[in-house]
Amino acid sequence: MESGPPPPPRWVIDLSTPPASKPKSGNIQDPPGYSSLATAKRSAAAKEQVRKAPTTSETDTLKLKKSWEIALAPAKAIPMNAIMMYMSGNSLQIFSIMMVFMLFKNPLQALLQTNQVFTRYETDGTRGKLWMVKGVYVLMNLVALALGVWKVNGMGLLPTTRSDWLAWETAREPLEQTVFAFK
């Protein structure tokens, strides 16, 4: 009286068979402007289209746009850096010193690598227009350096007062001397 294995549970059967396609009911209309025939034609046409290669002028335009994005990236970081410098305070602590160090290090590295950053976008068509992009890039990094100088000045590390230079001052020779006569 041996019977076969028990039938699989219903969920196994549901997972192994694809759902039956539901026929479109006649009482629900397509939304205005939708046509299932036009959609089928468009999808068939999209599959047949082959993408044409971009022209050199299109490539140069894209390279110039990308280079402008890179040139303006330091300007986008300036507000964030300014808020961070303001929030770190003017006292000499390891946190504020490290932030000021990074504020000087990143723009200086960027200034030293200006030509290397833009070599990827330099072609015969963009070479004449790329000098302005590089100029903006350098200017934005100089603004970031100026933010660092402002912070160092706020921390009191720049010698801007006369008392900061007292070690190099000589004592004044008086023109006259007075002696106190009463004893």
Side-chain angles (χ1 to χ4, degrees), residues 41-141:
K41 287 180 185 175
R42 262 192 246 131
S43 64
K47 290 178 184 175
E48 293 173 8
Q49 283 183 344
V50 177
R51 186 171 176 214
K52 65 176 184 169
T55 63
T56 56
S57 64
E58 290 173 339
T59 306
D60 288 347
T61 303
L62 287 175
K63 285 183 178 184
L64 203 58
K65 284 182 183 180
K66 185 64 178 170
S67 64
W68 272 110
E69 288 177 16
I70 290 174
L72 294 176
K76 293 177 183 176
I78 289 173
M80 177 193 64
N81 285 334
I83 290 170
M84 286 175 31
M85 291 299 120
Y86 173 75
M87 297 300 284
S88 69
N90 288 335
S91 61
L92 289 175
Q93 299 173 358
I94 190 70
F95 182 70
S96 58
I97 291 171
M98 290 302 291
M99 289 183 64
V100 169
F101 172 74
M102 292 302 289
L103 191 60
F104 279 109
K105 180 182 129 322
N106 292 338
L108 284 175
Q109 276 185 334
L111 286 172
L112 293 174
Q113 297 174 350
T114 300
N115 285 330
Q116 294 162 352
V117 169
F118 292 104
T119 54
R120 179 188 316 174
Y121 307 108
E122 193 165 342
T123 61
D124 293 334
T126 61
R127 191 165 288 126
K129 300 173 187 174
L130 215 53
W131 69 269
M132 187 170 172
V133 176
K134 288 180 183 179
V136 170
Y137 183 73
V138 168
L139 181 69
M140 292 301 120
N141 281 303

Side-chain angles (χ1 to χ4, degrees), residues 6 46 53 79 99 162 178:
M99 289 183 64
R162 184 172 177 180
T178 59

